Amino acid sequence: MERQSTYTATATIDEQGILTGWSEGAQRLLGHEASEVVGRPASALLAAEAGSVRRTLAGRDRWNGTVPLRHQDGRRLEQGLLAHRRTSDTGAVDWLVVTAVADLPQPPRGEPLEEWTFIQSPFPLAIFDTEQRLMRANRRLERALSLPEAAMRGLRLAHISPGPASAEADRAMHQVLETGEPQEVRTGLVPDLDLPTVLTPLKDGTGRVRAVCLAAHRRAAESARRGTGDETGAHPGTAPGLGRAAQELAEATVPRLADFMAVDLLDAPRSAADPVDMGPLVLRRAALRAVPDDAVSSSGTGAGQAIVYEPGSPPADCLASGNAVLYDTSDPVVAAWAAVDPAAAWLRAYGTRSLMLVPVFAEGSTLGVALFGRHRRTEPFGPEDLRIAEDLTAQAATGLHSDRRHSRARTTTMSLQRSLLPHTLPDQAALEVATRYLPAATKAGVGGDWFDVIPLSGARVALVVGDVVGHGIRASATMGRLRTAVRTLADVDLPADELLTHLDDLVLRLAADEGSADPAAETAGGIGTTCLYAVYDPVSRHCTLARAGHPPPAVVTPDGTVRFIDVPPGPPLGLGGLPFEAFETEIPEGSLLALYTDGLLEARDHDIDEALDKLFGALGRPAPTLDAVCDRVLTELLSHRPDDDIALLVARTRALHADRVAAWELDSDPSVVARARKHTSDQLSRWGLDEAAFTTELMVSELVTNAIRYGRPPIQLRLIHQDSTLICEVYDSSGTTPHMRRARIFDEGGRGLLLVAQLAKRWGTRHDRVGKTVWAEQSLTPS
């Protein structure tokens, strides 16, 4: 049973179709490194139309088949894949896609009698090699797992049937290979297998273990056919996710109770108070199961497809009345329906003899209808069967209703979150910026992480990253409030530490308002929110930062050195009365700044020191683009969907050199106004901006005159030429803020700032620790 080299390729894909995991085997198969594909749509790897794949997977918990993939070099690969829809304990949902890649020799076959025994055994049997990869599976195991041997060959149990049971069997199989002694484990690998599973070593003539045989006992399903929900195996409705809850109902009833079962759900639940719709009812098939397994394809409609029930059809009447009903297919109502309605094609395809329809009903709302049919058994459904079907459907309905509510709340929260985050980054020349946002995959919902890039006066740019405590709509709404507040405070050019102080006051007010309405709310108003605020100046190449309980940013200098910026750790927002401290540092041109939320460092599969090492390693290695840096960071630190939201902002610093900035110290004397205009005219001529000279001289004249008349020395004039923008700044040491006022007809002054406001694209005042700067920005007409 020697075999050639085999490797397993795995990938994980989230609900939005984004790749979140990429193994070395996947890289070996398709040639793409993880940093190239993680965080990108999985459809980019397909050599086929992505919509058909999505339709195929809709409503399913597992799928296997051949998919055309595109190699990095452009080759088309027809690859057999096995895909599992997984739901974690926290409610995170994703797809595990796996394939075994090898030039496997045909597994050896024995004597006919031995082969018949293996294939026709009433117990599920499988043979695994010394690498614990499946080599053979008999028909009973294929039926129990609803997978052909070809789809499982070369895979380990953990990939064939993911979960704790497979992990336990894997460990036991390893012991069998090590000791040569059989092991017995209670795995429950599939719903029908709840008795001990025996793992037996298969030895050659020398006593060497060459393989392991797995033999599982299958319970007698027929004896439980008329039992309660506990006796029928899986509890329908216990698993999260609409597809999973509906599928569990199908698995619990086929073949124990029915030979065919389908769950069709309305797009929106209906209550008794809703007006009666006299037109066709459109539902969506959430689950479908039938015996034999290969008969499902003949039903005409699969999971995820739309089903239309015309008025007067048995399912439409069942939904309208809210009552379960038994039918013999010879009933004229059913016969007429089956004869003309495509939605009843399965009745003809199976030769159904008996039919049950049960409304899926929970908490006063009708969710859909469950259909049960018998075509293999001669006995029709009876009242006891109907009672069992109603009980099981009621259990499933509870789960369906709860999961639909959670799903709708999560979708609403995600939509709100996306609407509040910046859709595009603003135009600015000081920094090159790339961002990523990954929502948490938890039942609690999306959190309140956010980032922002805010252009400021003087060619400066503010970078913000924050993390609101909690999850769900409340956290997202609080995030939106705080983001708006930060933008407002940044617009008046508050220093970083003062901005956080004002934000802290806002959180206290929000907490007081919400606390009065809900005293039990622990996260009212965003108490405990963290925030990092940084302002980068491309002229001085200085960065001023302040943080409120937030992780410090990392910086990578052009020589490749990676370090944290030692920003003093202020308290989280909402505690009140505690100071925030600003920290200023010079950052060389071409440096890399990384701001992030703590979800990036809190992955459950490594500690904080390991996470920091991975972060520094990912940031320190050269990359062609900032998007590649972001992808690499997420790939290095995440092996699965995060338990907490992650916001990541990476920026590369640029600089405005001396040839783009001109500054002059001016005396506090009215006679220097003419000299200031001359400085301006000469400088604009050197920059080739003669067309802007007249407008700029007018603004400089007014701003310098105001500084001399109302301010205090020293006075400084500065011009900044940034791409298609020209900025005029006048500084004086007075803290008085200038205001526009309405001048009367015979007033000699009072029109200066009004004139500046008319000439400039925008203007304003920013206060420094001492003094103020009045600035005006104008757009340059391309020559």
Side-chain angles (χ1 to χ4, degrees), residues 78 198 203 218 274 299 306 319 366 614 729 769:
E78 297 289 339
V198 179
K203 303 178 182 180
R218 191 178 192 275
D274 292 335
S299 66
L319 285 167
T366 301
K614 289 184 175 181
E729 296 184 342
R769 298 296 178 187

Side-chain angles (χ1 to χ4, degrees), residues 647-659:
L648 173 64
L649 188 156
V650 176
R652 180 171 282 119
T653 61
R654 297 167 176 158
L656 283 174
H657 298 285
D659 61 337

Side-chain angles (χ1 to χ4, degrees), residues 86-94 162-164 238-241 244 403 406 441-445 604 641 643:
R86 306 182 302 180
T87 305
S88 70
D89 294 338
T90 61
V93 177
D94 68 358
T238 58
R244 176 68 61 86
D403 292 328
H406 285 303
T442 63
K443 280 187 175 180
R604 57 176 175 264
R641 285 289 301 277
D643 297 325

Side-chain angles (χ1 to χ4, degrees), residues 149-466:
E149 179 189 278
M152 299 184 281
R153 190 179 303 144
L155 297 178
R156 298 169 68 106
L157 270 176
H159 290 141
I160 296 171
S161 180
S166 295
E168 181 184 348
D170 259 341
R171 289 190 293 270
M173 194 179 300
H174 180 73
Q175 291 181 2
V176 172
L177 291 167
E178 290 288 322
T179 65
E181 298 295 328
Q183 293 279 337
E184 188 175 285
V185 291
R186 186 177 294 273
T187 63
L189 289 175
V190 292
D192 289 343
L193 305 180
D194 65 345
L195 296 178
T197 297
V198 179
L199 300 170
T200 305
L202 303 181
K203 303 178 182 180
D204 60 17
T206 66
R208 178 184 174 189
V209 178
R210 305 300 296 270
V212 175
C213 178
L214 178 149
H217 297 277
R218 191 178 192 275
R219 83 171 74 178
E222 189 64 25
S223 64
R225 183 175 66 82
R226 295 185 178 273
T228 64
D230 289 338
E231 294 168 340
T232 55
H235 293 273
T238 58
L242 294 177
R244 176 68 61 86
Q247 190 62 35
E248 283 182 348
L249 176 58
E251 291 171 356
T253 53
V254 176
R256 300 173 182 86
L257 180 64
D259 301 323
F260 173 93
M261 194 273 166
V263 180
D264 297 337
L265 298 179
L266 294 159
D267 288 336
R270 297 188 176 189
S271 68
D274 292 335
V276 178
D277 188 354
M278 302 304 294
L281 291 174
V282 180
L283 293 84
R284 191 162 297 278
R285 184 141 291 172
L288 176 64
R289 189 177 176 91
V291 290
D293 295 339
D294 58 3
V296 171
S297 61
S298 65
S299 66
T301 50
Q305 295 186 353
I307 311 294
V308 179
Y309 290 124
E310 297 293 338
S313 64
D317 289 344
C318 176
L319 285 167
S321 66
N323 297 319
V325 61
L326 284 173
Y327 288 104
D328 188 281
T329 51
S330 62
D331 188 303
V333 174
V334 178
W337 176 51
V340 298
D341 198 332
W346 63 274
L347 293 172
R348 302 188 300 273
Y350 289 122
T352 303
R353 299 185 180 92
S354 185
L355 173 67
M356 279 193 305
L357 300 176
V358 180
V360 183
F361 189 79
E363 298 186 18
S365 297
T366 301
L367 308 181
V369 62
L371 302 91
F372 303 85
R374 280 185 179 172
H375 51 268
R376 301 187 104 190
R377 300 177 227 198
T378 56
E379 70 273 21
F381 290 119
E384 182 64 15
D385 295 310
L386 186 62
R387 184 193 66 79
I388 294 172
E390 287 182 300
D391 289 344
L392 294 177
T393 303
Q395 292 180 42
T398 301
L400 284 166
H401 187 68
S402 175
D403 292 328
R404 172 168 267 168
R405 186 170 58 246
H406 285 303
S407 176
R408 188 164 53 247
R410 179 176 175 81
T411 300
T412 302
T413 306
M414 285 287 291
S415 299
L416 175 61
Q417 180 87 336
R418 289 194 182 100
S419 69
L420 295 174
L421 289 171
H423 292 218
T424 57
L425 299 177
D427 292 333
Q428 48 81 34
L431 297 166
E432 178 189 358
V433 180
T435 61
R436 291 290 185 273
Y437 177 79
L438 287 181
T442 63
K443 280 187 175 180
V446 181
D449 291 21
W450 90 92
F451 59 84
D452 213 343
V453 179
I454 309 171
L456 302 176
S457 64
R460 299 167 305 133
V461 177
L463 303 176
V464 191
V465 173

Side-chain angles (χ1 to χ4, degrees), residues 460-595:
R460 299 167 305 133
V461 177
L463 303 176
V464 191
V465 173
D467 184 357
V468 174
V469 174
H471 294 82
I473 291 180
R474 187 173 195 167
S476 294
T478 301
M479 177 271 283
R481 287 176 165 182
L482 296 182
R483 178 172 176 253
T484 300
V486 170
R487 280 188 156 267
T488 302
L489 296 170
D491 195 50
V492 297
D493 264 315
L494 284 181
D497 52 344
E498 291 186 24
L499 183 143
L500 291 184
T501 298
H502 284 278
L503 205 60
D504 185 50
D505 293 339
L506 172 63
V507 171
L508 285 172
R509 290 196 298 272
L510 292 176
D513 292 343
E514 294 190 13
S516 61
D518 183 6
E522 297 179 1
T523 60
I527 288 179
T529 293
T530 67
C531 183
L532 172 66
Y533 184 79
V535 176
Y536 174 70
D537 186 342
V539 177
S540 66
R541 294 186 277 282
H542 281 203
C543 188
T544 304
L545 311 97
R547 61 183 175 122
H550 203 83
V555 62
V556 185
T557 52
D559 62 4
T561 303
V562 187
R563 62 179 175 85
F564 282 125
I565 299 179
D566 191 19
V567 185
L573 299 175
L575 300 184
L578 298 174
F580 299 96
E581 186 177 347
F583 177 80
E584 185 172 342
T585 183
E586 183 174 351
I587 298 181
E589 180 182 5
S591 297
L592 205 66
L593 276 171
L595 287 67

Side-chain angles (χ1 to χ4, degrees), residues 710 734-740 753 763-767 772-774:
Y710 304 111
S734 168
T736 304
T737 301
H739 297 282
M740 282 193 297
L753 288 181
W763 74 281
T765 304
R766 69 172 179 267
H767 289 268
K772 67 177 181 299
T773 298
V774 184

Side-chain angles (χ1 to χ4, degrees), residues 674-733:
R675 193 183 314 150
R677 289 198 298 267
K678 182 68 167 60
H679 289 323
T680 300
S681 176
D682 292 345
Q683 185 61 51
L684 294 185
S685 179
R686 283 191 288 271
W687 282 339
L689 303 177
D690 296 290
E691 292 183 1
F694 178 74
T695 300
T696 308
E697 286 182 46
L698 281 177
M699 290 193 293
V700 166
S701 179
E702 296 300 335
L703 295 179
V704 171
T705 298
N706 277 351
I708 293 171
R709 182 175 297 174
Y710 304 111
R712 292 199 300 264
I715 298 172
Q716 183 189 67
L717 167 65
R718 185 168 74 161
L719 300 178
I720 301 173
H721 178 204
Q722 183 185 28
D723 295 335
S724 60
T725 300
L726 181 64
I727 302 170
C728 254
E729 296 184 342
V730 175
Y731 166 83
D732 74 86
S733 61

